[in-house]
Amino acid sequence: MIPVESLKKILVERSEYIETVELINRDIDLESNASYVFTGQRRAGKTFFLYQLIRQFISKNTPYLFINFEDERLIEFIKDDFDSLLNAYYQLYTTKPVVLLDEVQIIAGWEKFCRRLVDLGYQVYVTGSNAKMVSSEIATTLGGRFLTLEIHPLSFSEFIKFNRLRLKKGFAYGSQRNEIIRLQDTYMHYGGLPESLKYTDKRTYLSNIYQKVFFGDIVTRHKLKNDFALKLLIKKIAESVNNETSFTRLRHTIESANIKVGTATLIEYAGYLDDSFLIFSISNFTAKFSEKESKKKFYFGDTGILNLFLFDQKTKLLENMVFLAIRRKWPLPVFYFKRNLETDFYIPDRNMLIQSCYSVMDFETREREVKAVSMAMKELSVSSATIVTWDEEDEINVEAGFIRVVGYWKWVLDD
């Protein structure tokens, strides 16, 4: 058991720090009286979003209890210490708090404590860097008393805001356009993890985050013995971004490096990567059920992490950026559409087709991309589609309707 006096010290220290930390607010809407489970990859900004909420509580004189379970002084914290935590708070203060528990998935049994708090009338916010926090088993324990929300890395519009660039009216046509494109290049190569903005050596920072996820969230947590196979799997997935691949093909590629691993093991490892928000996958809309599971396209949760494994692969990075923008804006089922030719993204709930292509200036590239999209439009009865480029614009008439060609920055900033 952790002494109550130690918990009191941690609570007060963190409260004093939160009142001084520099914040740039993110526009994330919440139900005012609801309790939440916030998920998302490491360093996506979950902790600082809790700080943002706490600043709002402070401005309204709302009492709060905040604790971060990654504090090394809490390494021996167990579920029985939750009651000690409440006791520590009530020895310091007398009013009922809003409870904020950061990276709480570290503590086994956290969901039962949170359920009890909500049943007692507390408002509770918890964060975690593992998708298992919203698994059916935990959701059953929480009893439908929590809403869930994923905190993404910064969108490009947030990235601009965090870089202190305030867009003026007509920014797309004035001098700010060049600054936006410069920031887009940084965003493409180093991603949207908020803390990376303060580092000059962003690559080293991102490498450290990746190592933390790899060893802490995956290898150690799941007690994996074949960590070299996992390293190769991540590298090969990175190299396959923007291409359809299968676990059988990945296994053959890994075994060519004299690493023995089964297909079932790779599928299991990919599940761990997905749980940690490191990678995501989508399936072919036209495929049979078995093929939907065996053949996929993979993307990374942050382009900065993806870029650790690539060298001058702007086509892959741009497509990954487009995927993340789609996933952030439309949290709906997303597929790719492939017969003989492939369109990168199809959102059936919106009957929307989106293609990623770094440049359509080359005649052969333009013909290939337009043909793929127009064939998909015709088969799916879609009258308009989009090709997202680095910084090119056009409108192309095809038999089924028209295709808008637009630069990434304009596409995501044009609401």
Side-chain angles (χ1 to χ4, degrees):
M1 297 285 288
I2 296 180
V4 169
E5 289 301 310
S6 297
L7 293 172
K8 285 161 67 174
K9 178 178 174 60
I10 293 170
L11 289 175
V12 172
E13 278 184 2
R14 185 56 60 169
S15 292
E16 290 177 347
Y17 169 73
I18 292 171
E19 292 188 25
T20 63
V21 69
E22 182 181 359
L23 283 178
I24 299 176
N25 288 344
R26 300 183 68 176
D27 296 327
I28 301 174
D29 293 327
L30 303 179
E31 296 289 338
S32 58
N33 296 315
S35 293
Y36 275 88
V37 175
F38 298 119
T39 61
Q41 72 180 89
R42 282 191 178 273
R43 298 298 182 264
K46 299 184 298 296
T47 299
F48 274 72
F49 182 61
L50 291 187
Y51 292 170
Q52 179 179 323
L53 295 176
I54 289 169
R55 287 283 187 83
Q56 295 171 10
F57 298 149
I58 292 171
S59 69
K60 298 175 182 177
N61 293 317
T62 301
Y64 68 90
L65 183 165
F66 171 86
I67 194 161
N68 184 332
F69 289 101
E70 288 193 318
D71 189 319
E72 76 283 355
R73 293 170 293 182
L74 300 174
I75 196 169
E76 296 179 332
F77 195 103
I78 58 174
K79 65 180 180 180
D80 292 339
D81 287 310
F82 279 121
D83 284 330
S84 299
L85 180 62
L86 281 181
N87 289 336
Y89 173 85
Y90 281 114
Q91 286 183 28
L92 291 166
Y93 313 103
T94 58
T95 49
K96 191 174 188 177
V98 175
V99 178
L100 305 100
L101 308 175
D102 199 12
E103 295 294 346
V104 73
Q105 86 281 351
I106 294 171
I107 313 302
W110 66 269
E111 63 274 19
K112 294 180 180 178
F113 172 70
C114 291
R115 163 73 181 264
R116 175 157 59 94
L117 283 182
V118 173
D119 287 344
L120 292 172
Y122 289 85
Q123 187 173 17
V124 181
Y125 297 98
V126 301
T127 77
S129 302
N130 192 297
K132 282 284 192 287
M133 289 191 69
V134 290
S135 66
S136 57
E137 181 181 346
I138 289 177
T140 299
T141 303
L142 295 177
R145 287 161 172 77
F146 284 76
L147 300 179
T148 60
L149 183 69
E150 183 180 340
I151 304 297
H152 300 272
L154 299 177
S155 67
F156 186 57
S157 60
E158 289 178 317
F159 187 77
I160 288 173
K161 179 181 177 182
F162 274 55
N163 276 277
R164 312 288 184 180
L165 178 61
R166 186 167 184 154
L167 297 181
K168 302 173 184 176
K169 188 175 181 179
F171 64 86
Y173 307 98
S175 60
Q176 284 191 320
R177 177 187 178 119
N178 292 333
E179 180 64 11
I180 290 168
I181 294 174
R182 185 190 68 78
L183 288 174
Q184 179 173 282
D185 187 72
T186 302
Y187 185 69
M188 180 172 74
H189 287 93
Y190 300 111
L193 300 184
E195 200 174 26
S196 69
L197 273 68
K198 69 182 184 182
Y199 291 98
T200 302
D201 187 357
K202 300 182 189 300
R203 189 176 181 86
T204 298
Y205 166 77
L206 291 168
S207 180
N208 288 335
I209 298 302
Y210 167 71
Q211 294 297 330
K212 174 65 175 173
V213 172
F214 182 86
F215 289 109
D217 295 343
I218 302 175
V219 173
T220 301
R221 177 174 295 168
H222 298 289
K223 300 179 174 62
L224 302 187
K225 296 179 180 178
N226 197 353
D227 63 313
F228 190 65
L230 179 63
K231 284 182 180 178
L232 276 179
L233 175 64
I234 296 169
K235 185 175 186 295
K236 297 307 175 184
I237 285 176
E239 292 170 353
S240 76
V241 163
N242 84 340
N243 290 307
E244 180 184 68
T245 191
S246 68
F247 286 107
T248 301
R249 184 183 302 168
L250 289 168
R251 176 173 62 81
H252 289 325
T253 304
I254 291 171
E255 287 184 338
S256 68
N258 295 319
I259 303 297
K260 292 296 182 183
V261 64
T263 302
T265 299
L266 292 183
I267 293 172
E268 181 183 355
Y269 285 4
Y272 298 150
L273 299 176
D274 187 85
D275 287 343
S276 66
F277 300 93
L278 189 65
I279 66 165
F280 301 98
S281 64
I282 61 175
S283 302
N284 184 4
F285 183 76
T286 67
K288 297 176 182 179
F289 178 78
S290 59
E291 290 182 346
K292 277 184 167 64
E293 295 305 307
S294 61
K295 291 183 179 180
K296 295 177 180 289
K297 289 180 72 174
F298 292 95
Y299 298 95
F300 276 61
D302 182 73
T303 53
I305 302 293
L306 169 60
N307 194 41
L308 293 173
F309 302 94
L310 303 177
F311 178 75
D312 197 24
Q313 293 278 344
K314 292 181 179 179
T315 299
K316 294 181 186 296
L317 292 174
L318 178 63
E319 185 168 324
N320 204 98
M321 286 165 61
V322 172
F323 167 76
L324 293 177
I326 291 171
R327 187 172 179 273
R328 184 182 294 109
K329 185 161 185 170
W330 299 295
L332 305 165
V334 180
F335 300 87
Y336 59 97
F337 185 90
K338 183 175 182 179
R339 294 288 190 195
N340 296 320
L341 300 175
E342 179 185 307
T343 300
D344 296 321
F345 305 108
Y346 175 54
I347 309 170
D349 287 3
R350 288 180 169 266
N351 205 26
M352 182 181 294
L353 285 164
I354 300 171
Q355 187 82 318
S356 172
C357 182
Y358 191 84
S359 173
V360 292
M361 295 297 289
D362 175 74
F363 177 78
E364 289 185 3
T365 301
R366 183 186 181 93
E367 287 288 296
R368 182 183 67 247
E369 301 297 330
V370 170
K371 184 178 180 181
V373 175
S374 61
M375 287 179 64
M377 290 172 67
K378 190 174 181 179
E379 182 168 344
L380 296 167
S381 299
V382 176
S383 60
S384 65
T386 303
I387 297 178
V388 181
T389 67
W390 177 251
D391 183 33
E392 296 169 6
E393 291 188 52
D394 200 355
E395 247 187 39
I396 304 169
N397 292 315
V398 294
E399 183 181 349
F402 74 93
I403 300 170
R404 179 194 182 200
V405 179
V406 61
Y408 174 84
W409 63 273
K410 196 166 189 181
W411 177 62
V412 292
L413 296 178
D414 244 359
D415 253 351

